[in-house]
Amino acid sequence: MKSQDSTVLVTGGLGYIGSHVVRQVLDRGWKVRVLDNRYRSDPGVARQIADLDRVEVIEGDVRYAHMVESATRGVEAVVHLAAVCMNKSIADPTESLDVNLMGTQNVLDAAGRAGVRRIVYGSSASVYGDPKSLPMFESGPFAPITPYCVAKLAGEQMLDFYGRRTKMSWLALRFFNVYGPGQPTDAYYTSVVNTFLNRIARGEAPVIDGKGSQSMDFVHVEDVARAVALALDSEATGEALNVGTGRQTTIAELAEVLIKHLGVDVQPTFSPREVLVTQREASIDRIHQVLGWEPAIDFEYGIGTVIDWLKSSGHPQA
Ligand SMILES: NC(=O)c1ccc[n+]([C@@H]2O[C@H](COP(=O)([O-])OP(=O)(O)OC[C@H]3O[C@@H](n4cnc5c(N)ncnc54)[C@H](O)[C@@H]3O)[C@@H](O)[C@H]2O)c1
């Protein structure tokens, strides 16, 4: 059971989702140790995290078992978020599998040997591939398209293996299209928000790939971080849960919301390009049953938080 000194290791804790998770688990009484190689962390955010009370930051790489092993020593729980993104996995499958698959194996193995009680794994809706029907249920079908997606699904299966072999209880969370303050500008799906905002703010028309009918299930990063914190404190074990809103937003609708928020007079243009996934809509009944979680931030409000963040972070175009 969690005590005043219970420590959770957050791998990738200096990243976009990780930095929000660190704050939320601190609020719930955990001490936090972060393991991150700073590959993709924002230096300003990393400084803010390192300055927080009850947070220790270790610079290290999940690909090196000895680093993971020393970071895991004495922790009661692990939130595993360190990974390289979808784009990277297409450009460099070997490095992607090294980090996302072997790195996960290192984390699970070290956690099992250190007697860690609880583990929460940051998985992805990409395990489903391009769905044949909506909403997408946790039971599948699965059709991972890239090495990134393959590694996420394999990570869940390795959790199941370690869960049976050790005393570790676990949940995997399949994040849908996470957006919100701090989002990286080059993320495969949600970068569309930043890209559109930049073009619209310059008075240029947003360019939509395909016909604009492809949809995403945008879930706010604060809601995602709360799902992680609830999963950490829950005793439910042995399954993967969707973290989305259950609501589809087409890219054409996204462009419309952004144009409205910025109050500019532009119309989107369409450019033919193959899109990997044409639609997303999570079933969120199961996460509600298991964790009592549901999204609290609606899309219109959430987009406002991104625009405010871009302005306050001195983003040139916002
Ligand atoms: N952002 C999304 O929409 C989304 C959707 C589905 C799943 N996810 C998953 O959520 C997790 C967090 O994603 P994010 O969007 O915050 O990404 P991010 O790139 O902002 O954060 C990942 C963090 O991991 C660190 N990292 C990368 N390689 C590492 C390594 N070898 N060793 C140690 N640290 C390393 C990076 O420096 C970064 O701080 C990832 O596992 C990602 O696959 C994200």
Side-chain angles (χ1 to χ4, degrees):
M1 266 299 110
K2 191 168 83 182
S3 74
Q4 270 212 322
D5 286 323
S6 291
T7 301
V8 56
L9 173 68
V10 182
T11 72
L14 301 182
Y16 166 46
I17 298 174
S19 57
H20 290 266
V21 166
V22 167
R23 290 193 170 85
Q24 292 218 17
V25 299
L26 280 173
D27 286 349
R28 295 172 75 93
W30 287 91
K31 283 167 82 171
V32 177
R33 184 180 296 159
V34 168
L35 177 68
D36 197 300
N37 68 352
R38 297 180 189 256
Y39 163 71
R40 219 160 95 99
S41 57
D42 176 293
V45 172
R47 259 192 314 277
Q48 286 168 13
I49 296 291
D51 286 347
L52 292 169
D53 274 350
R54 292 167 66 84
V55 174
E56 172 194 4
V57 175
I58 298 175
E59 188 167 335
D61 197 309
V62 293
R63 282 172 289 187
Y64 301 118
H66 67 280
M67 282 183 179
V68 180
E69 192 170 329
S70 80
T72 311
R73 216 163 282 145
V75 305
E76 186 175 323
V78 175
V79 173
H80 178 41
L81 299 172
V84 288
C85 64
M86 179 91 87
N87 290 337
K88 178 80 180 167
S89 97
I90 298 167
D92 188 344
T94 305
E95 183 178 348
S96 162
L97 289 175
D98 246 3
V99 177
N100 295 2
L101 185 55
M102 289 313 294
T104 297
Q105 161 61 15
N106 288 338
V107 169
L108 300 185
D109 194 57
R113 280 186 291 112
V116 162
R117 172 178 67 78
R118 181 82 181 152
I119 185 152
V120 177
Y121 173 56
S123 187
S124 164
S126 67
V127 298
Y128 300 118
D130 198 18
K132 301 277 178 283
S133 64
L134 296 175
M136 295 149 85
F137 292 100
E138 282 85 351
S139 53
F142 304 104
I145 301 172
T146 68
Y148 171 89
C149 320
V150 170
K152 286 293 176 192
L153 190 56
E156 292 183 7
Q157 290 163 337
M158 290 308 293
L159 261 174
D160 184 52
F161 170 74
Y162 278 99
R164 281 182 279 110
R165 201 177 148 194
T166 68
K167 292 204 172 72
M168 222 154 45
S169 71
W170 64 274
L171 286 176
L173 298 179
R174 294 182 187 144
F175 306 147
F176 277 63
N177 304 111
V178 186
Y179 78 101
Q183 63 190 27
T185 50
D186 58 347
Y188 189 83
Y189 292 114
T190 41
S191 64
V192 68
V193 177
N194 285 352
T195 313
F196 276 21
L197 277 174
N198 287 339
R199 290 187 65 90
I200 296 166
R202 287 196 301 263
E204 296 168 11
V207 181
I208 295 177
D209 288 337
K211 295 196 178 69
S213 56
Q214 71 269 27
S215 68
M216 303 198 189
D217 183 333
F218 286 109
V219 56
H220 197 273
V221 67
E222 286 295 342
D223 280 333
V224 170
R226 186 165 46 84
V228 173
L230 287 172
L232 182 63
D233 285 342
S234 152
E235 288 180 12
T237 188
E239 62 182 305
L241 301 170
N242 288 339
V243 183
T245 63
R247 183 173 173 269
Q248 292 184 64
T249 301
T250 65
I251 299 305
E253 281 166 352
L254 168 69
E256 212 174 281
V257 171
L258 297 179
I259 288 168
K260 194 173 111 197
H261 259 280
L262 293 174
V264 289
D265 187 17
V266 289
Q267 284 307 313
T269 58
F270 297 88
S271 106
R273 190 191 84 153
E274 198 195 349
V275 285
L276 276 184
V277 168
T278 55
Q279 46 185 2
R280 287 251 177 271
E281 183 193 319
S283 159
I284 54 171
D285 292 348
R286 187 62 190 149
I287 190 169
H288 189 244
Q289 279 165 8
V290 174
L291 300 179
W293 178 92
E294 56 189 7
I297 300 177
D298 73 42
F299 189 58
E300 291 251 355
Y301 176 84
I303 282 296
T305 68
V306 179
I307 295 175
D308 290 347
W309 163 70
L310 286 171
K311 284 182 177 156
S312 70
S313 61
H315 204 274
Q317 273 91 37

